[in-house]
Amino acid sequence: MTSNVPPIGELLDAARHSAVHLEMRDVYAVSKETSEFQRWLETGERPDDPDSDYWQEWTSAVRRSVARGVVVRRARIVSEPVTDYIRYEHAGTPVNLAAGEQVRWLPRRQASDIALPGNDFWLFDDRLVRFGFFSGDGALVGHALDEDSATVKLCASAFDAVWERATSHEQYEIN
């Protein structure tokens, strides 16, 4: 399922005009973040330098894309009150913004009438979907690519509906 799926950085580098990401989980247990998340829980501190070793690979990919005119947007559907993990993501979002991403937040109760795919996804240029699959505890278990026009249409429609209702990061207050 994952073996022939390119990393996000490669897909961002290939994007021509848009890359959108819809996140719908309240907890992610991504191994790369484990120590930073634990540190944040203990201290409330997160790396906030977009050029730090922790962020540099991601911010460089986003900056390259944005410099070519690609619009990179991320929307997060979250339960409220939010989990500690969502607080952690919120605390790190200024780095995403500094790299050139646009980020919005939508409380889950405001998404009840939106047709959503069953998994988080990236949609590139309204033509290619990269799904991320997670276990119940939030561990990443794989990815898949999909270019089926019905799947692309569902993901584009879902993202657009969420984006329209969501609140910009600057305006969204964690409760």
Side-chain angles (χ1 to χ4, degrees):
M1 162 174 33
T2 302
S3 62
N4 59 352
V5 176
I8 290 295
E10 285 181 30
L11 294 168
L12 278 170
D13 285 341
R16 293 171 298 198
H17 61 81
S18 67
V20 301
H21 185 36
L22 183 59
E23 297 177 359
M24 299 180 282
R25 297 185 55 87
D26 289 318
V27 174
Y28 293 88
V30 179
S31 58
K32 177 186 173 197
E33 295 178 338
T34 302
S35 63
E36 287 300 327
F37 179 53
Q38 188 59 43
R39 179 175 161 233
W40 178 83
L41 285 171
E42 294 168 3
T43 67
E45 297 174 8
R46 247 201 110 169
D48 60 0
D49 177 3
D51 298 316
S52 68
D53 288 342
Y54 181 79
W55 285 105
Q56 202 270 334
E57 182 179 351
W58 176 250
T59 57
S60 293
V62 172
R63 286 174 175 158
R64 284 191 309 270
S65 297
V66 171
R68 288 191 333 276
V70 175
V71 176
V72 181
R73 298 182 294 163
R74 177 187 306 257
R76 294 175 170 141
I77 299 173
V78 295
S79 299
E80 293 180 324
V82 300
T83 62
D84 284 341
Y85 185 85
I86 295 301
R87 289 180 190 283
Y88 167 77
E89 277 193 328
H90 192 270
T93 299
V95 175
N96 299 81
L97 300 173
E101 280 188 69
Q102 300 170 40
V103 180
R104 292 187 182 178
W105 302 82
L106 183 66
R108 190 170 311 282
R109 71 181 178 279
Q110 295 177 24
S112 296
D113 63 342
I114 299 173
L116 298 167
N119 296 287
D120 290 9
F121 65 86
W122 278 91
L123 174 60
F124 298 93
D125 296 326
D126 292 321
R127 66 166 191 81
L128 176 66
V129 178
R130 181 184 192 258
F131 286 109
F133 304 114
F134 296 86
S135 66
D137 64 1
L140 181 64
V141 296
H143 297 100
L145 296 178
D146 196 326
E147 294 180 279
D148 176 74
S149 62
T151 303
V152 167
K153 183 178 178 181
L154 170 65
C155 291
S157 173
F159 185 87
D160 289 345
V162 169
W163 190 258
E164 183 178 311
R165 291 183 190 181
T167 303
S168 70
H169 176 74
E170 298 82 359
Q171 300 290 315
Y172 183 70
E173 295 182 24
I174 293 287
N175 55 4

